Amino acid sequence: MESTFALMAATWAIAMALSPALQIRRIVELKSARGVSIAYFLVLLVGFVLWLAYGLAADNFALIVPNALAAIVSTATIAVAMHYRTGDTA
């Protein structure tokens, strides 16, 4: 039973890590990042990097994979938001 929950949690963690891609899609669709809080994604990014570092130190693959993915996707979200933010008028 424990391994079933571990698999479910790991799978959901990967889905959560990839979910900011939905925000990227929306930014590109609207060609605007006006409604996106870059500070929010920066806070998340710091958390992902800390959990990734902990996972690396603990040699815990279940922490490494989703947090590495989340850090990459969050960084991409920040980059896309900043790119489209330059074209937004306040």
Side-chain angles (χ1 to χ4, degrees):
M1 186 63 143
E2 183 180 338
S3 61
T4 301
F5 283 132
L7 178 61
M8 289 170 51
T11 302
W12 194 253
I14 290 170
M16 289 171 48
L18 297 174
S19 68
L22 299 169
Q23 185 68 63
I24 293 172
R25 185 182 77 186
R26 187 72 174 152
I27 292 169
V28 172
E29 209 173 71
L30 296 175
K31 294 181 177 48
S32 172
R34 183 175 297 162
V36 176
S37 172
I38 294 173
Y40 169 75
F41 282 100
L42 285 170
V43 169
L44 287 179
L45 179 59
V46 170
F48 296 140
V49 169
L50 289 171
W51 276 106
L52 174 59
Y54 176 68
L56 290 168
D59 198 30
N60 185 327
F61 199 65
L63 289 175
I64 295 169
V65 172
N67 285 292
L69 286 172
I72 291 166
V73 176
S74 290
T75 300
T77 304
I78 292 166
V80 170
M82 289 177 69
H83 172 75
Y84 279 95
R85 184 70 55 91
T86 59
D88 286 345
T89 56

